[in-house]
Amino acid sequence: MAEVAILGFGTVGSGVAEVIDRNQAQIRRDFPEGIHVKYILDLRDFPDSPYADRVVHDIDIILNDPEIRVICETMGGKEPAFTFSKRALEKGISVCTSNKELVDVLGGTLAVIAKEHCCSYLFEASVGGGIPLLRPLRTSFSQEFITTIVGILNGTTNYILTKMERENLPFEDALKQAQEKGYAEKDPTADIEGHDPCRKIAILASLVTGGNVKFKQVPCEGISGIDTMDMEYARQLHCKIKLLGVCRHDQETGKVYVRTAPYLVRHGHPLYGVHDVFNGVLVRGNMVGDLMFYGSGAGKLPTASAVVSDVVECVQNAGHTINIGLSNSDADLFDPMDWEDRYFVRIRKQDLVRATELFGSEIRIVVNENAPEEFAFVTPLIAERDFEEKVKQIPSFMKSIRILKN
Ligand code: HSE
């Protein structure tokens, strides 16, 4: 049996143990030797757990055991996860993780250390939970230039937006329901302000370009400013509002544009129909065209299943590094202020003439009978820099939402 250790016995960590035990027969189809959890590292004890006798509190017990082949890092956060992962990789022990925060900040560093020590650093579970996404990107797409990744990468906010749209609920009420269902945390900031999907699109952009894109370099906006009136306008435009991670990679310049923000998604687009707590990711290759990945982007067992898929790949590839195409250099980022989008804009009635002067007569006006004092319009394609300059000159400007191009 290949011996593994789990660092952090929380939701995902306990799920990893469960997947390995319950699906041992399935694992043995691809890896006949089988996989066994030898240690669980946690600060706590779990006296009532069937794994109680495997719990240790000292990382050195794990790192000094020559039988350990893979570590599942499901602790989250930067430290001590980084130090433990680094020490494991330096000993030639592969690391599989769901820790998107660490992957975003230090994934490139850990991937390089893994390569130097003939082992692997894999993080399938860090993006899209149970959806196989990173593995197809680095295997089935070797021959492709990936031009676009656009994804609904956060289940909690997709649930909130779905509730707001279908039941006409204010944001606060939909958030409360998401918390009651256990989707949103007590402190929901990382989800509703877009930090979680922003980390995920940063990881995807890094993999697509082979250079590091860090969360902090990516413009990030969440959904806390979306209201029921926006939903009403979206309906009139035959669109749905979705929180998207967007990555556009230009083959000629090699530059990459990355953003997380709410977008209006038109009826007929593959992401239009991704509802509730589900994730959906559209990947466009220059030869293969559009592919959609859809499924559970969160949850104990789907996320743990993705971690275990990495463990199986690591034990199958013992003694050499699985190339994930991630280096320690920086990606060449497109200046987001130069990026062109069409915008949906809400203003008060008195500024209609001003809006037409600024944006041209081709703006599309959207009237809302439920709000007679205001209206909205859709701009032609315009660079963000120019858009910001123009809306500053509209005294009653209320808000804008980008419209997804394609
Ligand atoms: N909170 C995330 C979501 C799951 O709602 O999708 C973990 O990435």
Side-chain angles (χ1 to χ4, degrees), residues 6-10 12-14 16 72-76 96-99 307:
I6 298 170
L7 312 188
F9 204 52
V12 180
S14 59
V16 168
C72 304
E73 187 271 292
T74 52
M75 314 174 80
C96 305
T97 187
S98 56
N99 184 346
V307 176

Side-chain angles (χ1 to χ4, degrees), residues 314-351:
C314 284
V315 292
Q316 284 172 327
N317 288 278
H320 74 265
T321 305
I322 298 160
N323 183 15
I324 53 169
L326 196 59
S327 71
N328 216 357
S329 59
D330 290 334
D332 192 2
L333 290 168
F334 193 93
D335 183 346
M337 294 304 278
D338 291 332
W339 187 261
E340 287 189 350
D341 270 315
R342 288 164 69 222
Y343 291 81
F344 159 84
V345 185
R346 274 173 67 184
I347 64 174
R348 303 241 172 243
K349 277 252 164 70
Q350 67 265 23
D351 285 328

